[in-house]
Amino acid sequence: MMWILVRAVAADGPEEFKRWGEWAAILAALSGSLGIIIQVWGKRARRVDPPVVDEDRIGRAVADLAGRIRRDWAEEAVRREVTRPAPVLVRWSSTGRPAAARQFVVDDQLGGEWHHFPLSGKTDEPNNDSNDIVAAFRSLPHRQLMVLGKPGAGKTVFAMLLTLGLIRRPAAGEPVPVLLSIHLWDAAELLDDFVACRLAEDYGDVLAAHGDPLAVARRLVEDQRVLPVLDGLDELPADAVAEAMDRLDLFAAAGRPLVVTCRGDEYEEAVARSRVLSRAAVVELASVEVEDAITYLSQPVPDPRWEPVFAHLRAHQDGPLAKALSTPLMVALARSTYQAGSTADPVDLLDVAQTAAGQRAVEARLMADFVPAVYAPRPRRLASDQSQAGVHYHPEKAQRWLTFLARHMSEHGVQDVGWWELSPLIRTVFVTLAGLLVTLMTALLFVPVFGPVFGLAVTAVAGLVTVVVVVQTGGPPQSIHAEETTPRSALSTERARAISRGVGGGALIGVAIGLLLAILLGLGIGYAVLLVAVLGGAYTLATALDHPWGSFLVARFWLGVTGRLPFGLPRFLEDAHRRGVLRQSGARYQFRHLILQEHLAGGASPLTAEPPSVTLAPQQADGHRPKQHQQRVRLCVASVGLAFLGLFVLSTGEWAPNYRSGDRPETIMDVSCGGAGGSPSCVEYVAGYQWPVGPGGRVDTTFTFPNRQRVIQFQGMGGEFRLLPSNDCANAVLRWQISIDGQLWRSGEVHATTGRLDTPRAAPQQAKTVVVSARRVDTEPCAAVLHWDRPTGQYRGVTSGFGPWG
């Protein structure tokens, strides 16, 4: 199409233009028909009939899902030191807070409040046959449970132990428990859809073996084959918790089992504005008792350094230290901070507890010492830590990197982050890099053609347009394909996609456009190679930049250079996960606890300031932004190429040939002046050449054109041959011809008063030499003067120094 456009614009007359217009109509008909076929074909391909998932596949999917969940959460429990060697003993019982009536929870017609039917127990090892959590849950007719507790009370651990207990000792026909963090839920969305989407995201690789992951997940939810264990209702925005309670009750009213965890105070506020779950039992976690804390801190073997602390705890069971160690989170942090081999001494806690801040001071000290302690070098490592061999981070650097990550998450009101979501941190760098990319490409193409002044002006405009386009269409891409279930698999898959798109798409497009321009413009081999290389490289880089992995590389490099995060960020995040500082949620990471994130961020996190991100269904989260945001960098790169072609089509120019060899003519010079504002600008130019030709004589002169870099198509020669008026040689006749690169282009005959001009022949696209030949064909004994008035080589294309630009 570009070729037809160029030939039509360059047509010499109406007939030729009409001929190319007819070709354009034919091409339009063919491309239009092909477009309709592609559109119809695409619509048929996108039309998805309701998926049919047979019962046998569902059964196998349930078995595979249970095995995956059992393995993943068992490993996570060990990593968080929940079951290594045993969990912190936490007692729980029916709450006195607002709850459904006893008759609806346990189908007891005697009535009464829920807390009149006490339900109590303690957190046990999930392999224990007398597991209180599992036994209590299975005793509920509707299998619906709300778990309350204060911050750090162990609600997540409770949910984890319940999940492991149910899945390790399954009962016939019992659904598979699936532990999901609920903070990503948009309460306006049906819970069924949220659970199905999270299943397809977190376990897409497992479900894909049995059909479309989302279709299988929806079937599992509809058939009540899964038990949603929803952790962190209080982590939703404050104004969304009440609506979420309504959605949960709607889900539970259909008789579906579920478990929800929430902070006690937030639960009461939600109930006051909404309602209780109509059939759910409500239990609340108690504080960790002193002896239970001592038992946990003594595992796996007693450490003599703790004895003074234990004695203090037993003597002051209501003191600041005992209150600080009354939650599983703080007890776990204490054991991690002062584990065997650590240089920190737990006795320091006694001095901290005596300060005015008391309990808060102890908690702050434990959180402040936690990260340096887990990153401190140790002479020996436990067998389970051998995966960390060779990975050593300085405690101060690790603390600084984790602090930066926590602040970033808190500022954006999120609790989890993926490697691809760090690109907003370098939005300015991304925009600048896109502008520089297009600017560099434009400079390489235009500066050699236009010269430094006009070339740099075009370059500046192209860079500015690029920056405006990227800013208006958004920052770096921030989503990946949703079927990736771990950070490592997501990074590997997106890297492969980016390279495939860059090399297989961007490079091929850039090279194809470069070759097309080189052919249309008739470029010499040197400039053609430069054009193809620049466009191919620019399109490859633009495609990579417009991909999550490409933008992550930029973010990773820039954040590493500025010291805010390490260069080996994926490895660092994996190591932090192994050390128990971070926990993994699908392909994202979370801090071990929200309290730790808030501490590292330097204060309370504004997590309720704005609604959570909506989880996209796998078929929607395709790793790209909406259509209006797609291919923005490539659009800018393409615009430069189109501008380059547009300038070629629209511009024309003329150059006077320079004498090279043969009969030297007399050069006639003239001056052209122009300008405005009282500052005229004058340019001297060649106005003509003259040759005296005697009787029977001839002349042969070779001309060349200015030796400068240009991207042009040679169209032919201009000017007029005439004989200077002479009374002595009025009857002289000369026959002349012009040859271009050895091929005859045009010829004619000139008399003193008139002349004859032959039809021009085709001229080469690039002219190197022009030879003017003339001979006398008359017999007059006089000397005639042949004058070539306004000798010019005519060009179409991007020219430098004259034409539309003077």
Side-chain angles (χ1 to χ4, degrees):
M1 290 193 298
M2 284 293 182
W3 182 63
I4 290 177
L5 173 64
V6 170
R7 296 305 300 266
V9 173
D12 289 336
E15 291 299 325
E16 185 179 358
F17 181 84
K18 180 180 178 181
R19 180 163 62 88
W20 286 112
E22 291 171 350
W23 276 110
I26 295 173
L27 180 63
L30 292 175
S31 60
S33 301
L34 181 61
I36 293 174
I37 294 173
I38 293 175
Q39 190 77 353
V40 173
W41 190 287
K43 287 184 178 295
R44 289 178 59 86
R46 289 192 297 269
R47 188 176 62 194
V48 180
D49 295 327
V52 178
V53 184
D54 57 72
E55 188 65 27
D56 185 53
R57 282 192 174 186
I58 287 296
R60 294 198 302 270
V62 170
D64 291 348
L65 180 62
R68 172 65 174 274
I69 293 174
R70 181 188 305 112
R71 183 180 72 251
D72 286 357
W73 283 110
E75 293 176 355
E76 191 67 17
V78 172
R79 189 174 291 113
R80 299 188 196 182
E81 297 190 348
V82 172
T83 59
R84 192 177 69 171
V88 181
L89 188 62
V90 178
R91 289 171 172 78
W92 48 268
S93 61
S94 302
T95 184
R97 298 179 188 267
R102 169 180 174 178
Q103 65 185 86
F104 300 113
V105 176
V106 295
D107 295 338
D108 187 345
Q109 298 304 318
L110 294 177
E113 299 298 329
W114 161 243
H115 62 270
H116 293 158
F117 182 76
L119 189 67
S120 61
K122 59 184 182 301
T123 52
D124 298 328
E125 172 66 32
N127 289 325
N128 194 335
D129 290 335
S130 61
N131 189 298
D132 288 352
I133 298 175
V134 174
F137 180 75
R138 285 176 173 163
S139 70
L140 298 172
H142 305 292
R143 306 288 175 88
Q144 297 174 7
L145 180 64
M146 174 69 72
V147 182
L148 306 180
K150 60 184 179 180
K155 299 181 293 297
T156 301
V157 171
F158 183 100
M160 188 186 305
L161 294 175
L162 175 59
T163 300
L164 287 173
L166 289 172
I167 207 166
R168 284 177 172 174
R169 298 185 179 277
E174 191 173 65
V176 177
V178 181
L179 178 54
L180 302 172
S181 179
I182 201 176
H183 70 273
L184 287 176
W185 180 31
D186 180 3
E189 178 187 18
L190 289 176
L191 186 60
D192 309 61
D193 296 335
F194 170 75
V195 173
C197 289
R198 284 301 307 273
L199 273 176
E201 289 181 8
D202 293 352
Y203 303 101
D205 53 343
V206 176
L207 301 181
H210 307 284
D212 177 68
L214 185 60
V216 175
R218 291 190 185 280
R219 178 70 180 275
L220 293 178
V221 175
E222 291 171 0
D223 292 353
Q224 299 185 25
R225 298 295 190 98
V226 295
L227 164 63
V229 181
L230 308 175
D231 183 34
L233 178 63
D234 55 277
E235 294 170 359
L236 293 176
D239 57 355
V241 176
E243 183 179 3
M245 289 287 289
D246 288 335
R247 292 287 186 182
L248 290 170
D249 192 51
L250 183 65
F251 181 89
R256 305 184 209 185
L258 82 161
V259 178
V260 184
T261 71
C262 184
R263 292 182 180 181
D265 294 341
E266 282 78 353
Y267 170 79
E268 279 201 66
E269 292 177 7
V271 168
R273 291 191 296 171
S274 178
R275 67 183 73 188
V276 299
L277 297 186
S278 56
R279 295 184 178 181
V282 183
V283 298
E284 189 162 6
L285 302 176
S287 298
V288 177
E289 297 181 358
V290 168
E291 290 301 328
D292 294 331
I294 292 174
T295 300
Y296 184 77
L297 293 172
S298 300
Q299 297 172 354
V301 293
D303 187 343
R305 298 180 304 162
W306 279 102
E307 290 305 325
V309 179
F310 294 161
H312 177 86
L313 289 173
R314 291 188 175 101
H316 304 84
Q317 297 198 14
D318 293 326
L321 183 57
K323 290 181 179 179
L325 297 177
S326 64
T327 63
L329 173 64
M330 290 301 159
V331 177
L333 289 180
R335 192 173 80 168
S336 298
T337 302
Y338 301 108
Q339 58 187 298
S342 172
T343 57
D345 192 342
V347 175
D348 296 341
L349 294 176
L350 299 179
D351 296 333
V352 176
Q354 302 303 318
T355 62
Q359 176 184 346
R360 292 185 177 274
V362 174
E363 294 172 348
R365 178 63 174 271
L366 288 174
M367 287 188 288
D369 290 347
F370 171 67
V371 172
V374 297
Y375 281 96
R378 285 170 174 72
R380 293 179 299 174
R381 291 189 178 274
L382 299 176
S384 61
D385 292 332
Q386 289 305 310
S387 60
Q388 301 181 40
V391 181
H392 302 287
Y393 295 101
H394 194 278
E396 292 183 2
K397 290 184 177 180
Q399 177 90 15
R400 183 174 71 249
W401 296 332
L402 291 169
T403 298
F404 173 78
L405 194 62
R407 288 176 178 170
H408 163 67
M409 295 167 66
S410 295
E411 288 171 0
H412 289 78
V414 298
Q415 298 177 50
D416 50 11
V417 65
W419 52 263
W420 63 93
E421 294 171 328
L422 295 175
S423 51
L425 293 168
I426 49 96
R427 175 181 171 85
T428 302
V429 178
F430 180 86
V431 173
T432 303
L433 186 60
L436 288 177
L437 172 63
V438 175
T439 300
L440 176 62
M441 188 192 78
T442 310
L444 289 174
L445 292 178
F446 284 89
V447 171
V449 176
F450 292 100
V453 178
F454 190 80
L456 290 177
V458 174
T459 297
V461 171
L464 180 61
V465 170
T466 300
V467 170
V468 171
V469 170
V470 176
V471 169
Q472 291 298 320
T473 57
Q478 301 175 43
S479 61
I480 62 170
H481 289 68
E483 67 268 17
E484 308 307 331
T485 57
T486 66
R488 179 179 289 275
S489 67
L491 184 62
S492 176
T493 302
E494 294 302 325
R495 178 173 58 243
R497 285 193 179 104
I499 294 175
S500 175
R501 288 177 58 195
V503 176
L508 290 180
I509 292 174
V511 170
I513 293 178
L515 289 174
L516 177 63
L517 288 174
I519 294 173
L520 290 177
L521 303 178
L523 304 182
I525 185 65
Y527 202 85
V529 170
L530 173 63
L531 184 66
V532 170
V534 170
L535 287 176
Y539 264 81
T540 302
L541 289 176
T543 303
L545 278 176
D546 203 34
H547 189 275
W549 181 74
S551 62
F552 168 67
L553 283 186
V554 178
R556 179 177 174 179
F557 175 79
W558 183 254
L559 295 174
V561 168
T562 56
R564 290 179 283 181
L565 287 174
F567 284 103
L569 180 58
R571 187 182 185 187
F572 172 73
L573 295 176
E574 288 182 355
D575 180 73
H577 179 218
R578 284 194 296 264
R579 295 177 188 266
V581 180
L582 300 178
R583 61 188 183 187
Q584 186 177 313
S585 176
R588 293 177 170 87
Y589 287 106
Q590 301 173 341
F591 276 92
R592 176 174 183 154
H593 197 280
L594 179 58
I595 295 177
L596 179 60
Q597 176 184 327
E598 292 173 349
H599 170 77
L600 290 172
S605 171
L607 292 170
T608 59
E610 52 188 59
S613 302
V614 178
T615 302
L616 295 177
Q619 74 271 24
Q620 296 173 326
D622 61 350
H624 307 286
R625 274 73 55 225
K627 290 184 178 180
Q628 64 269 25
H629 291 175
Q630 291 181 15
Q631 301 178 346
R632 51 195 164 212
V633 179
R634 282 169 284 172
L635 176 63
C636 298
V637 174
S639 65
V640 174
L642 292 177
F644 190 77
L645 184 60
L647 286 173
F648 164 76
V649 172
L650 298 177
S651 62
T652 58
E654 298 177 345
W655 268 303
N658 294 333
Y659 169 79
R660 176 179 175 183
S661 61
D663 298 306
R664 180 181 289 274
E666 179 185 354
T667 304
I668 309 300
M669 304 299 296
D670 201 351
V671 176
S672 174
C673 295
S679 300
S681 175
C682 297
V683 178
E684 189 177 33
Y685 66 96
V686 176
Y689 291 115
Q690 293 182 359
W691 294 267
V693 185
R698 63 175 297 132
V699 295
D700 288 286
T701 305
T702 300
F703 294 93
T704 61
F705 290 99
N707 184 20
R708 66 183 72 181
Q709 184 70 39
R710 56 188 182 271
V711 182
I712 52 180
Q713 281 188 4
F714 180 76
Q715 300 292 300
M717 299 300 301
E720 178 186 6
F721 283 100
R722 57 186 175 85
L723 293 178
L724 292 184
S726 173
N727 294 329
D728 298 334
C729 209
N731 296 320
V733 179
L734 277 84
R735 185 167 295 163
W736 60 268
Q737 69 178 29
I738 296 178
S739 299
I740 302 173
D741 289 345
Q743 298 180 0
L744 177 64
W745 177 70
R746 201 163 199 179
S747 61
E749 192 174 89
V750 60
H751 300 259
T753 57
T754 185
R756 177 179 60 81
L757 194 64
D758 296 336
T759 303
R761 294 169 175 81
Q765 290 186 347
Q766 295 293 321
K768 297 181 180 178
T769 60
V770 175
V771 177
V772 175
S773 302
R775 63 186 179 87
R776 287 276 297 272
V777 295
D778 64 280
T779 58
E780 293 291 326
C782 59
V785 178
L786 178 65
H787 180 74
W788 187 9
D789 189 26
R790 300 185 307 277
T792 53
Q794 298 174 341
Y795 296 87
R796 179 182 299 279
V798 180
T799 57
S800 174
F802 61 53
W805 304 282

